[in-house]
């Protein structure tokens, strides 16, 4: 039995959550519903997750003493975002189980390592190449072709740290503008649609996937999710199987999200893995209202050493993000019959900032 | 415009909740979902609601200074139970709006005043009589007949403070055993079923009722709620209309519950009001999972001065309370497909103590 399989929380025990954003907030609320307490660690005194827990640690990720005290006050530790500094994760893991295992972060924090990992499982991705100089970029373009997307290997999200290279662009200038020494060039994928699978894996290796979700981005930020995705049952089964294989290969405990592209293929549509997020995911927010058990609860159950739930979906679900100034429309949404409004308790609505979301559930098949 | 109509909270504002039990806990979680903060006031350091808020006041209800500080730290005040001491409510109301209005408590804290109030609206209840001595008890029995139920006028809940009088019982002894000076004798109602209506009323007088719920008690404690109730549409409309008239007559702001009996009548079944609870109610817990908006959210919206939601029900819902030792079965419930488990974060499972509940939603009409 591995260390992670030995964590078994009782109601009243305390989960440590690293990161204080809306994902941490919704994780803490899911834990409370199950009678579990949470302590949140975040350097930001205005962390939305601080509002929903009795105990919080406001300290820098480099604050070793604060990390150690935090770890000693909780029974298991998880995180709400994939960019937890490796050193912080190591300090925490020396004192308490950190789930999902911190070594998984090393895979998913680096686009190249992640793509190599997925490819080795025999799962298709867009063509990609390691790029570390103008010379290697030129070679990668020669192999992959244009258009293609150049991305930093680390710390990218919501379209940050990436740029599209079109035919005629100057590779030297693009390389200089990205300002990194380690990048990855990915073939531009002319996808039919973007989908995602939210999978939960328990400590004893059981995997439960939510129904495949279809996602619509605007300015690289998720705007709308719809479930079920408008794809064939066979393709949906294939997507869930990919998520399961990735979770198994990582010996994962908790919830992960796999983002995929549906692309035209010779024998009909096929799917490519775009990204793996080792955490609860915006495209799974619909589960809070549209299913008997949410992604947040599945994650909490998994890291608590509890059995996963068997979620039942209540209908066809649409989740709409409220981004930036869109939050000012919350009062209009309050009056929409059947709409469930979630506001994250954030301060100023900066452009691109996820401020809340709205869920709408329609009877299945009647949309 | 009355004082209560002027309360208008913005996201980020703070609601004060008096009482720290599971109702306060679920109110605080509903407020958080809307981006509102809560501060909980409770004398019990183990209050379940303390776990889900960043700020709490642990003090006695007689602690004037603590009440005043609490009031000054919040933007509006509400309560999770109807037995808030009148003096405490007055101190709070001198500093902040208390919603529902504290004077409503004077009606609903006293079974006799409540029954008189309902009767004056032209709404039927079981026959009842004021009882303050063995002599008045004998006179009441002579008028109402036996069996009948003798109840203390104040501080009764979950069957506490009441006793059934059968033919042959000694009224003097029953009176002595109840140990009160002010009671009410109610005719025993041979009901077909027990139902309840959860109604929300906004500051501007809009009323939204949830679908009528059918309730099954065990040892005077709610065990199972089912919605929709197995009654005619006409009777359901009548039940909702009664709740609306009571809410309007009280100039109520927030959620109230009306418990009713369905009894055989000359022209078919009819309904009698049993009790009015000026708060969110156990028989409305199904709304947390079975509808797009819960009773807790409706209450928060109403006291925040926001518009009420238009809840849509996701199917036929069953809510099962986990009472006392039944909480030990939570792990079994975790594995039931479609079951949503709520644990209240309470300590020891004393007999009769409400420890959690489980919701199950089935496609409408397929139960």
């Amino acid at each position: 039995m591995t260390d992670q399989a030995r964590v078994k929380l009782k109601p009243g025990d305390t989960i440590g959550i690293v990161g204080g954003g809306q994902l941490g907030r919704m994780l803490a609320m899911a834990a409370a519903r199950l009678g579990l307490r949470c302590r949140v660690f975040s350097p930001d005194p205005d962390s939305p997750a601080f509002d929903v827990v009795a105990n919080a640690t406001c300290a820098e990720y480099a604050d070793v003493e604060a990390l150690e005290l935090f770890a000693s006050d909780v029974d298991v530790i998880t995180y709400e975002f994939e960019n937890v500094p490796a050193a912080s994760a190591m300090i925490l893991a020396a004192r308490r189980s950190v789930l999902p295992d911190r070594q998984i972060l090393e895979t998913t924090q680096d686009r190249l390592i992640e793509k190599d990992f997925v490819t080795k499982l025999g799962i298709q991705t867009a063509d990609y190449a390691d790029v570390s100089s103008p010379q290697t970029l030129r070679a990668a373009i020669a192999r992959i072709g244009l258009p293609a997307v150049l991305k930093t290997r680390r710390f990218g999200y919501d379209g940050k740290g990436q740029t599209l290279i079109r035919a005629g662009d100057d590779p030297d200038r693009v390389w200089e503008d990205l300002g990194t020494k380690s990048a990855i060039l990915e073939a531009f994928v002319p996808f039919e649609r973007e989908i995602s699978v939210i999978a939960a894996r328990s400590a004893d290796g059981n995997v439960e996937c939510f129904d495949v979700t279809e996602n619509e981005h605007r300015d690289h930020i998720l705007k709308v999710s719809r479930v079920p995705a408008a794809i064939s049952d066979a393709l949906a089964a294939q997507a869930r199987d990919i998520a399961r294989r990735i979770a198994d290969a990582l010996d994962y405990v908790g919830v992960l999200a796999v983002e995929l592209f549906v692309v035209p293929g010779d024998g009909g549509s096929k799917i490519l893995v775009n990204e793996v997020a080792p955490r609860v995911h915006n495209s799974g927010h619909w589960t809070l209202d549209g299913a008997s058990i949410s992604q947040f609860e599945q994650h909490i159950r998994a890291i608590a050493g509890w059995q996963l739930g068997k979620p039942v979906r209540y209908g066809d679900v649409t989740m709409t993000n409220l981004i930036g100034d869109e939050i000012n429309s919350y009062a209009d949404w309050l009056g929409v019959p059947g709409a469930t409004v979630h506001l994250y308790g954030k301060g100023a609505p900066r452009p691109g900032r996820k401020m809340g979301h709205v869920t709408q559930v329609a009877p299945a098949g009647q949309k």
Side-chain angles (χ1 to χ4, degrees), chain A:
Chain A
M1 190 183 277
T2 62
D3 186 54
Q4 64 192 26
R6 277 198 296 272
V7 175
K8 176 85 178 177
L9 269 55
K10 324 175 285 306
D13 284 348
T14 301
I15 292 167
I17 298 174
V18 180
Q22 68 267 23
L23 300 181
R25 178 178 169 106
M26 292 187 271
L27 281 169
M29 290 165 78
R33 251 242 348 267
L34 295 172
L36 295 161
R37 297 187 172 95
C38 288
R39 175 182 277 272
V40 172
F41 189 109
S42 169
D44 177 3
D46 293 325
S47 293
F50 285 173
D51 288 341
V52 298
V53 294
N55 295 300
T57 303
C58 188
E60 297 299 323
Y61 291 122
D63 185 335
V64 176
E65 195 185 1
L67 288 166
E68 290 179 345
L69 280 169
F70 171 77
S72 68
D73 278 344
V74 303
D75 298 296
V76 66
I77 295 169
T78 191
Y79 40 88
E80 59 134 29
F81 70 122
E82 58 269 54
N83 290 323
V84 175
S88 312
M90 201 183 309
I91 291 164
L92 294 171
R95 275 151 194 85
R96 282 290 179 278
S97 284
V98 174
L99 294 174
D101 192 280
R102 68 186 175 83
Q103 296 185 343
I104 290 166
L105 296 174
E106 291 171 19
T107 300
T108 57
Q109 280 179 351
D110 186 306
R111 291 182 195 278
L112 181 65
I113 297 175
E114 181 181 296
K115 282 258 184 333
D116 284 345
F117 165 78
V118 170
T119 304
K120 273 184 197 132
L121 294 176
I123 298 167
Q124 269 197 287
T125 68
D127 283 341
Y128 66 94
D130 183 11
V131 172
S132 56
S133 66
Q135 294 72 32
T136 48
L137 176 56
R138 284 174 188 279
I141 290 172
R143 182 165 72 77
I144 291 174
L146 291 179
V149 187
L150 184 66
K151 300 179 176 179
T152 58
R153 280 174 58 176
R154 298 172 64 88
F155 303 121
Y157 70 97
D158 285 353
K160 292 181 173 62
Q162 59 177 271
T163 186
L164 180 69
I165 312 181
R166 292 185 183 81
D169 288 347
D170 174 6
D172 291 348
R173 164 157 302 177
V174 169
W175 179 251
E176 198 174 314
D177 287 350
L178 194 65
T180 183
K181 285 185 177 168
S182 53
I184 176 174
L185 187 74
E186 294 179 16
F188 179 80
V189 177
F191 56 80
E192 295 172 345
R193 53 190 86 241
E194 294 180 274
I195 60 173
S196 59
V197 177
I198 308 292
R201 189 170 181 275
S202 64
D204 56 4
N206 182 32
V207 175
E208 286 283 342
C209 295
F210 287 96
D211 290 321
V212 180
T213 305
E214 184 161 343
N215 304 311
E216 196 182 305
H217 289 79
R218 188 193 296 165
D219 301 331
H220 297 282
I221 300 171
L222 181 65
K223 180 56 192 168
V224 178
S225 289
R226 291 183 185 85
V227 61
I231 56 175
S232 69
D233 289 349
L235 214 57
Q238 200 185 321
R240 287 196 300 271
D241 183 61
I242 285 173
R244 178 187 307 267
R245 281 157 62 198
I246 290 173
D248 282 341
L250 290 169
D251 195 18
Y252 199 85
V253 178
V255 160
L256 61 72
V258 181
E259 297 180 48
L260 308 106
F261 295 125
V262 179
V263 295
D266 294 339
S269 299
K270 62 174 191 169
I271 48 185
L272 306 177
V273 166
N274 176 31
E275 237 178 82
V276 178
R279 55 169 170 80
V280 288
H281 192 259
N282 196 166
S283 71
H285 288 3
W286 66 267
T287 60
L288 277 173
D289 307 296
S292 59
I293 291 175
S294 74
Q295 63 166 349
F296 302 98
E297 174 166 345
Q298 289 288 55
H299 185 79
I300 294 295
R301 286 180 180 224
I303 65 164
W306 294 10
Q307 63 184 307
L308 299 177
K310 303 276 188 190
V312 168
R313 186 159 50 80
Y314 293 151
D316 291 345
V317 192
T318 304
M319 190 286 309
T320 306
N321 269 340
L322 302 179
I323 300 167
D325 283 345
E326 291 171 355
I327 194 67
N328 298 328
S329 69
Y330 79 89
D332 298 333
W333 279 109
L334 290 176
V336 175
T340 308
V341 179
H342 297 251
L343 307 180
Y344 300 152
K346 292 182 173 180
R350 291 194 301 268
R353 195 175 195 200
K354 291 175 179 169
M355 303 297 292
H357 73 268
V358 179
T359 317
Q360 293 170 283
V361 182
Q366 294 185 18
K367 287 204 291 195

